[in-house]
Amino acid sequence: MTSAAAKPVDRQLPSEEARELLALTRDLVQNELRPRAAEDEAANRFPREVFTTLGGAGLLSLPYGEQYGGGEQPYEVYLQVLEELAAGWLAVGLGVSVHTLSCHALATFGTEEQRQRWLPGMLGGAQLGAYCLSEPQSGSDAAALRTRAEADGDEYVVNGTKAWITHGGQADFYSSMVRTGVDGPRGISCLLVPGDAEGLSAAPPEHKMGMRSSPTAQLHFDGVRVGRERLIGEEGQGFQIALSALDSGRLGIAACAIGVAQAALDLAVEYAGTRQQFGRPIADFQGLSFLLADMATKIEAGRSLYLAAARRRDAGMAFSKEAAMAKLFCTDAAMSVTVDAVQVLGGAGYTQDFPAERYMREAKVLQIVEGTNQIQRLVIGRHLSGR
């Protein structure tokens, strides 16, 4: 059983174009993602061709400008597309979010010449990106990163190791934070590194609890030469670029979390309506119907929270605090909802015959990636105290 028969989410969208875009996304999810998700996850198979399909449909470039080949869509719309993709297959939804994150540095901080040169290729669908910030010894403390880029004429020579890189070894380009100066955040810069650069290699993918179709790997820089023209922003501006990207990326994670939670709820509602005990559907029992009601309420609250933050971003308002709140609440909600979905299915929920157990395994990572939920609380607390 899957949640394929679930009704589409009733969405308030800003335009007819947005409604058509969401309808296209749902069709792709139904025909291209859901039929293969379970098998590919079980086989640890990365669906690279799916991203090519999504790129051809314009779904890898939604929030960026039309002059560079983007979709010129507001974040409010882009995030709802992500939610639909993640409901069908988190590895794909999160992969689109990471690709969008990896384009952010160039699109936001690059020169016009850099954007004209590289951004159309990055947004055209043939390329897939990755974002390189974390390292084996610097995760939450990102400013402690050690991967170093030494200037050598018109090039930088990069040495070091990045960790937990989504699409590591598969990406065509890497937006990489490297140290070009002193210790701490002021010594960090951003380089756009080609995926085929000599001296760049990936370790074998990590063996993960969930999202097994999405490769996560360490990335090794061994004397990698990167032209100075690939420096994004100014030297020493990399940490600012990284934080700016993460504010937007956290909204992507929030939307993905609600997608997974919605898929789990749809499955639970369908199962509860057909599973008979004591002569009637188990959905008729108050204890279980209350559980479903709480699951649905958490999802609606999370969706409203991430959309409110997205609308602030679209309006040019500050949204860092709201992004942290959305990431925190939505991913915690996804974990809670998926655990409850397994409970609704009972013993069946604990088997691989149903996707409930996969949703639960997938939800856990969303509380960790792009800033753990403990870091989100720290960010929110600092905003509240004015620090």
Side-chain angles (χ1 to χ4, degrees):
M1 179 186 291
T2 70
S3 54
K7 295 180 181 179
V9 174
D10 185 13
R11 300 185 183 278
Q12 183 179 352
L13 295 165
S15 66
E16 182 60 31
E17 182 182 8
R19 284 186 283 275
E20 292 173 356
L21 187 59
L22 267 293
L24 169 64
T25 304
R26 283 192 291 270
D27 285 343
L28 286 170
V29 167
Q30 188 66 26
N31 297 317
E32 302 290 340
L33 272 59
R34 280 205 172 100
R36 58 181 292 185
E39 183 178 344
D40 281 8
E41 284 289 330
N44 297 335
R45 189 161 47 235
F46 177 53
R48 181 64 178 85
E49 68 280 8
V50 168
F51 291 93
T52 303
T53 299
L54 296 178
L59 300 185
L60 292 185
S61 61
L62 288 176
Y64 296 112
E66 288 182 341
Q67 69 269 37
Y68 307 113
E72 200 78 47
Q73 290 296 316
Y75 243 66
E76 172 188 2
V77 173
Y78 157 67
L79 292 178
Q80 293 184 79
V81 168
L82 271 191
E83 183 192 324
E84 292 281 352
L85 292 172
W89 193 355
L90 179 59
V92 173
L94 188 137
V96 173
S97 180
V98 167
H99 175 80
T100 302
L101 176 71
S102 69
C103 296
H104 176 90
L106 176 59
T108 306
F109 293 90
T111 66
E112 182 60 24
E113 180 181 358
Q114 288 174 322
R115 289 195 293 264
Q116 292 286 352
R117 182 174 178 181
W118 291 305
L119 200 52
M122 293 161 61
L123 299 178
Q127 297 182 26
L128 188 65
Y131 178 81
C132 300
L133 178 61
S134 295
E135 297 184 359
Q137 303 302 322
S138 64
S140 296
D141 185 11
L145 67 85
R146 299 175 183 174
T147 297
R148 180 164 288 278
E150 298 284 356
D152 183 17
D154 292 334
E155 296 177 316
Y156 290 98
V157 182
V158 187
N159 288 281
T161 298
K162 292 294 182 180
W164 308 112
I165 306 305
T166 300
H167 303 153
Q170 297 285 344
D172 299 292
F173 62 92
Y174 296 91
S175 292
S176 304
M177 305 306 153
V178 297
R179 186 162 302 285
T180 54
V182 298
D183 290 345
R186 295 182 180 179
I188 296 171
S189 300
C190 179
L191 295 178
L192 182 63
V193 181
D196 60 357
E198 186 176 352
L200 183 65
S201 64
E206 306 287 351
H207 298 284
K208 303 188 305 251
M209 177 190 297
M211 280 191 56
R212 295 168 181 169
S213 290
S214 177
T216 304
Q218 288 193 356
L219 202 64
H220 302 303
F221 294 79
D222 185 10
V224 176
R225 289 188 169 269
V226 182
R228 278 185 175 268
E229 73 276 8
R230 287 180 171 270
L231 173 69
I232 307 301
E234 303 290 336
E235 275 199 6
Q237 197 178 9
F239 197 66
Q240 175 192 349
I241 293 172
L243 294 183
S244 172
L246 286 176
D247 281 342
S248 296
R250 285 166 180 163
L251 292 182
I253 299 302
C256 285
I258 294 303
V260 173
Q262 184 69 57
L265 174 65
D266 291 342
L267 175 64
V269 169
E270 182 185 0
Y271 185 87
T274 57
R275 172 69 169 170
Q276 296 267 336
Q277 291 290 283
F278 304 102
R280 55 178 171 156
I282 62 173
D284 290 351
F285 293 96
Q286 188 178 78
L288 196 140
S289 68
F290 279 13
L291 184 62
L292 294 172
D294 287 345
M295 293 162 68
T297 300
K298 290 174 185 176
I299 291 169
E300 288 296 338
R303 184 177 290 123
S304 295
L305 189 57
Y306 88 64
L307 286 174
R311 288 166 184 143
R312 288 182 64 89
R313 186 188 189 281
D314 290 335
M317 301 170 65
F319 69 100
S320 179
K321 178 187 69 177
E322 290 77 11
M325 288 177 168
K327 199 273 184 183
L328 168 64
F329 183 89
C330 292
T331 59
D332 280 353
M335 192 71 250
S336 173
V337 167
T338 56
V339 169
D340 287 345
V342 171
Q343 190 70 23
V344 170
L345 271 67
Y350 201 66
T351 71
Q352 294 183 6
D353 295 332
F354 296 82
E357 59 85 27
R358 174 163 64 86
Y359 297 148
M360 187 177 77
R361 289 186 288 105
E362 291 176 337
K364 184 60 209 175
V365 76
L366 299 174
Q367 296 178 301
I368 299 170
V369 296
E370 294 193 28
T372 66
N373 283 7
Q374 287 68 36
I375 289 294
Q376 305 314 310
R377 290 177 170 88
L378 182 63
V379 170
I380 296 164
R382 286 177 174 172
H383 276 280
L384 294 175
S385 63
R387 295 179 183 176

